[in-house]
Amino acid sequence: MACVGYSVGTPLGVREIRFPRASVEARAHVLGTNTLASVVGCGRWSPLSTFHVRNSPIAPCRSFRAKASKAFHEDFEQSAPASSVSGDATKERVTVLVIGGGGREHALCYALQRSPSCDAVFCAPGNAGIASSGDATCISDLNISNSSAVISFCRERGIGLVVIGPEVPLVSGLANDLVKVGIPTFGPSAEAAALEGSKDFMKRLCDKYGIPTAKYRTFTDPSQAKQYITEQGTPIVVKADGLAAGKGVIVATTLDEAYEAVDSMLIKGSFGSAGSQVIIEEFLEGEEASFFALVDGENALPLESAQDHKRVGDGDTGPNTGGMGAYSPAPVLTEELKSLVMESIILPTVKGMAAEGCKFVGVLYAGLMIEKKSGLPKLIEYNVRFGDPECQVLMIRFESDLAQVLLAACRGQLGTVSLKWDPGFAMVVVMASRGYPGSYEKGTLIRNLDEADQVASSVKIFHAGTALDSEGNFVAAGGRVLGITAKGKDLEEAQVRAYQAVEVIDWPGGFYRRDIGWRALPHRHYVGS
């Protein structure tokens, strides 16, 4: 925050700046005009008597925000001591901007709006459901691909924390630009976001730092890729290297399917530049699970576990999607396995990224396979943001002050944080437009959402892709449209409540899986059928 006059990658020498307790303008005069902008843009703050910056030269993609931000905050007024996640009245107040407009962002807005220290939540662009829920004020006309526009908005509204939801703004460098001008931002730099933006980058990091993952090869030549597939046999996995909205993974059970996937990506360009190189990966048999950890560049704090359902159809059939449902916690991730994941996958990644000069600040989402033959976890892929729909079940169970937790991550202070969770279970059932993940019709009418929301106090409907028609009715505006989420004392109760709410909704243009949770509840397949 205090290093605002410098750009990421500029070598910083040892310097010490002292100034009396004075006005913002006086300090800005000492530190430079960019600092004034950062102070105004960061919302409320406490005056400093002494400010220190001590940093050695940093590599081009190394973030200096944690140490700088910590230094900026370490000398508060005696009457207003530094905030802590476990504190009460001592917490600083903050106004938050959430970037994005899907179900994940709605869940984040919901949790932030419940944060005791959060004064207000804005969401850009948001969606009609987020706006109508009261969980955030949506800024639909803010161009989130324009960093200057986002920075201006933050300064005008006194935003003290930006939370970037989707992967595209992260890979595009929005976090870099915000941090550069001193706006606390939860989300990795573009360089660190390569963990998701390039599967080849992630795989090479795994190789270098001994992180367990599936055997693989990377190809740009289709004939060489097909030759490797022939040698390895099927089943085999073909992945587009770049971002493909959760659709760039083909699990091929025959050679022809694998060849077709290669041709689709490398010859036909089905995924554009994201498929300009492909990763051919061994097929791992076992049970998938999602593991999340907050990271501040040095420390990692595990979140509760969750399990996603990627395939579009009941019984895990059909093509992969962005996610058709999830539940938390995931029984497959025992305490022993969680410790092993932290030790063998998460912490080596955090340390490896720091060693590569790309400190990671944000949430690491590890897609895992718990191998059937060994019972051990292997990394399938990394996402560099909260999963969707896993975020929905995590946030409905989250009971700590999310705003303060994420600020602690931005400041390199996660080592002092402990988290509180609802001890029960949660489940989300995704309702999607018919035809998804292929072509689908937009504008279909959705009725009875209010009635569904009142099925039980533990039910929460998160909007992922809704809009309002000319008469003020909700209509579908995307592929995955609603996340019907519910809590329960156990998974069975959460499942019953979620599906009860689903069945109240009148949406002929939508569909949903009827077996979310089937792995953990093997005797309760096809609920509602």
Side-chain angles (χ1 to χ4, degrees):
M1 182 182 294
C3 296
V4 67
Y6 300 91
S7 59
V8 176
T10 301
L12 301 180
V14 176
R15 59 183 304 201
E16 180 174 312
I17 304 171
R18 295 179 180 272
F19 44 82
R21 298 184 184 277
S23 66
V24 171
E25 290 79 5
R27 290 190 188 124
H29 180 72
V30 174
L31 297 176
T33 55
N34 282 337
T35 303
L36 173 60
S38 77
V39 170
V40 172
C42 291
R44 301 181 185 182
W45 63 297
S46 292
L48 305 173
S49 59
T50 304
F51 167 72
H52 305 271
V53 179
R54 290 188 176 92
N55 262 326
S56 56
I58 42 182
C61 62
R62 182 170 295 174
S63 169
F64 53 74
R65 64 182 131 184
K67 288 184 180 178
S69 184
K70 183 177 180 182
F72 191 82
H73 283 271
E74 63 186 3
D75 185 24
F76 277 77
E77 292 276 13
Q78 291 184 355
S79 60
S83 64
S84 68
V85 173
S86 59
D88 296 311
T90 58
K91 291 179 181 177
E92 64 185 283
R93 310 297 303 175
V94 65
T95 298
V96 184
L97 170 64
V98 175
I99 299 292
R104 167 185 47 234
E105 289 74 41
H106 191 178
L108 289 169
C109 290
Y110 168 76
L112 287 163
Q113 188 268 338
R114 294 163 61 217
S115 296
S117 67
C118 192
D119 279 338
V121 182
F122 293 94
C123 186
N127 64 47
I130 297 174
S132 66
S133 68
D135 293 324
T137 299
C138 291
I139 313 298
S140 59
D141 59 349
L142 179 58
N143 182 1
I144 62 173
S145 64
N146 184 332
S147 294
S148 296
V150 176
I151 291 167
S152 294
F153 178 85
C154 291
R155 289 171 173 167
E156 291 167 4
R157 299 299 182 101
I159 301 297
L161 171 66
V162 175
V163 181
I164 302 176
E167 62 274 24
V168 173
L170 291 169
V171 173
S172 299
L174 179 58
N176 301 59
D177 296 334
L178 291 168
V179 170
K180 182 178 177 180
V181 298
I183 298 171
T185 302
F186 183 78
S189 66
E191 296 82 5
L195 275 174
E196 178 173 359
S198 170
K199 294 178 180 64
D200 179 66
F201 174 88
M202 183 217 60
K203 286 287 195 177
R204 287 187 286 111
L205 188 85
C206 289
D207 285 347
K208 186 171 182 179
Y209 293 97
I211 299 164
T213 188
K215 183 177 71 172
Y216 78 103
R217 286 275 302 275
T218 302
F219 297 93
T220 55
D221 181 84
S223 60
Q224 292 178 4
K226 291 177 184 179
Q227 181 180 344
Y228 180 75
I229 290 169
T230 304
E231 294 168 358
Q232 298 301 310
T234 58
I236 200 163
V237 183
V238 183
K239 296 181 176 181
D241 177 58
L243 300 178
K247 302 172 187 175
V249 178
I250 307 298
V251 179
T253 57
T254 67
L255 290 176
D256 285 342
E257 285 179 357
Y259 298 155
E260 184 181 343
V262 168
D263 287 343
S264 174
M265 295 177 193
L266 292 182
I267 297 176
K268 299 177 184 176
S270 299
F271 297 107
S273 60
S276 59
Q277 66 177 359
V278 299
I279 286 77
I280 311 296
E281 188 177 86
E282 73 170 313
F283 174 78
L284 298 177
E285 186 178 3
E287 189 167 350
E288 290 189 44
S290 303
F291 190 95
F292 297 85
L294 302 180
V295 182
D296 67 5
E298 302 284 348
N299 306 296
L301 182 65
L303 301 180
E304 281 287 271
S305 62
Q307 188 168 64
D308 189 11
H309 297 61
K310 286 292 185 189
R311 297 296 188 99
V312 72
D314 290 344
D316 285 345
T317 56
N320 274 335
T321 70
M324 294 300 295
Y327 56 90
S328 174
V332 66
L333 276 173
T334 62
E335 291 302 317
E336 182 181 6
L337 269 178
K338 284 194 267 188
S339 296
L340 184 58
V341 171
M342 284 295 291
E343 293 168 10
S344 66
I345 295 175
I346 300 296
L347 291 176
T349 299
V350 174
K351 293 174 182 176
M353 292 294 284
E356 294 298 312
C358 293
K359 282 189 176 181
F360 187 96
V361 175
V363 62
L364 268 180
Y365 163 14
L368 304 174
M369 180 66 75
I370 312 303
E371 271 202 295
K372 184 176 181 180
K373 60 183 178 182
S374 68
L376 298 177
K378 283 190 175 182
L379 180 65
I380 301 173
E381 64 179 2
Y382 266 131
N383 292 329
V384 297
R385 33 71 188 186
F386 285 100
D388 184 348
E390 295 97 331
C391 189
Q392 288 84 314
V393 290
L394 290 175
M395 289 302 103
I396 203 171
R397 294 185 59 216
F398 194 82
E399 293 186 344
S400 296
D401 188 323
L402 182 62
Q404 293 302 312
V405 171
L406 300 187
L407 278 171
C410 295
R411 296 168 179 163
Q413 298 172 346
L414 280 180
T416 66
V417 171
S418 60
L419 301 179
K420 184 179 179 183
W421 297 90
D422 184 304
F425 284 70
M427 179 177 288
V428 57
V429 178
V430 170
M431 300 188 75
S433 296
R434 292 193 182 278
Y436 174 82
S439 59
Y440 53 85
E441 182 183 355
K442 292 185 178 181
T444 55
L445 188 63
I446 306 170
R447 298 183 178 90
N448 297 349
L449 288 178
D450 288 342
E451 292 82 349
D453 210 14
Q454 295 168 14
V455 163
S457 60
S458 63
V459 169
K460 174 67 179 178
I461 298 177
F462 293 112
H463 290 245
T466 59
L468 295 177
D469 65 13
S470 58
E471 298 178 0
N473 300 308
F474 279 111
V475 295
R480 292 184 301 153
V481 176
L482 299 167
I484 315 304
T485 311
K487 292 189 295 183
K489 64 180 183 295
D490 52 32
L491 187 57
E492 184 173 344
E493 183 175 85
Q495 185 191 56
V496 167
R497 288 175 176 173
Y499 276 103
Q500 283 176 342
V502 165
E503 289 168 1
V504 170
I505 295 171
D506 180 9
W507 181 26
F511 78 99
Y512 55 92
R513 278 183 59 166
R514 297 177 179 270
D515 64 343
I516 302 303
W518 72 269
R519 287 186 181 275
L521 297 170
H523 302 299
R524 289 183 57 80
H525 290 199
Y526 312 113
V527 171
S529 60

